[in-house]
Amino acid sequence: MKFIAIGRTEILLESVTNLISEGHELLLMITCPSEQYQYEKNENDFINFCKKIDVDCIVTNDLNSENILKKIEHLNPDIGISYNWKTLIREKAIEIFPFGILNSHSGDIPKYKGNAVRNWAIISGEKRMALTIHLMTENLDNGPIIIKKYYKINGETTIQNLYDFVSEQTPNLFLDAVNGLESGEIKPI
């Protein structure tokens, strides 16, 4: 499938690399200026990655601008993938993608939305944490579920265990979701 990647962090870059290696075509990368130092990759890493594979990279804080929406429309993508985008993506943007925009959320939607949900899973005494791939809507961490994968939580579980689980599993879950939607084997719930 032809896809556009939206977001930031090394997890998104690994997810894009994984999709490309399995025959999917990256049309455009959209990232935002760095503001936090917890990420290993910043916008320069995204720009350099895209230069190597001859794909445009847009650095912006406003994905919903008319200029960017026109560029996305012109590329005619099948699907989008999003990881750690910092603002809401409006319905007008989502509707451009025939298969929608997939988002990776490190929590059990609909119970856990927003930030720090890995922390809240431990603090709340959950027996497991979900990594959820879902189709985006205009509302925060909302939309039909595509895939969930769980990590068991016990008294020995650390927040680093959950971060490692998300880092390791997200690229594969994006690939499973894109392949499953393309083949029709996965139906949104």
Side-chain angles (χ1 to χ4, degrees):
M1 282 217 268
K2 298 181 299 180
F3 73 101
I4 291 177
I6 303 163
R8 50 197 177 154
T9 84
E10 56 283 350
I11 294 172
L12 181 63
L13 281 176
E14 290 173 29
S15 298
V16 167
T17 301
N18 200 25
L19 284 164
I20 291 170
S21 72
E22 293 296 321
H24 299 284
E25 181 185 357
L26 178 65
L27 301 175
L28 176 67
M29 180 82 75
I30 303 172
T31 191
C32 51
S34 298
E35 295 173 353
Q36 297 172 313
Y37 298 102
Q38 77 236 38
Y39 304 130
E40 292 176 24
K41 305 290 183 188
N42 63 35
E43 67 272 18
N44 293 322
D45 296 299
F46 281 76
I47 292 166
N48 291 332
F49 174 86
C50 289
K51 280 181 184 174
K52 287 179 186 173
I53 61 171
D54 197 27
V55 170
D56 285 342
C57 181
I58 296 174
V59 180
T60 184
N61 284 314
D62 187 9
L63 174 77
N64 300 298
S65 75
E66 283 301 316
N67 192 28
I68 292 176
L69 294 181
K70 284 179 186 174
K71 180 159 182 94
I72 293 170
E73 261 181 337
H74 176 73
L75 291 170
N76 197 28
D78 298 310
I79 197 165
I81 65 165
S82 170
Y83 187 86
N84 202 253
W85 184 253
K86 65 181 194 170
T87 60
L88 292 176
I89 298 175
R90 299 291 174 208
E91 194 65 35
K92 190 172 181 182
I94 295 167
E95 289 174 348
I96 296 171
F97 299 85
F99 284 88
I101 301 175
L102 296 173
N103 184 55
S104 176
H105 179 70
S106 304
D108 198 351
I109 294 176
K111 187 173 183 180
Y112 288 99
K113 297 180 178 187
N115 289 325
V117 292
R118 290 170 264 215
N119 306 56
W120 283 111
I122 292 174
I123 291 167
S124 300
E126 298 290 347
K127 302 262 188 260
R128 62 187 187 168
M129 183 205 82
L131 173 57
T132 306
I133 303 291
H134 68 99
L135 284 168
M136 296 180 86
T137 69
E138 199 171 56
N139 298 314
L140 178 68
D141 297 329
N142 190 33
I145 306 298
I146 303 299
I147 298 174
K148 281 188 186 186
K149 187 160 188 167
Y150 293 93
Y151 185 92
K152 289 184 182 179
I153 297 174
N154 60 41
E156 303 299 312
T157 303
T158 67
I159 193 64
Q160 188 62 53
N161 297 137
L162 300 183
Y163 274 87
D164 291 345
F165 169 72
V166 169
S167 294
E168 293 164 8
Q169 296 302 316
T170 298
N172 294 328
L173 288 184
F174 268 135
L175 179 61
D176 291 346
V178 169
N179 288 342
L181 288 170
E182 182 178 37
S183 70
E185 292 177 17
I186 292 180
K187 302 289 183 208
I189 301 170

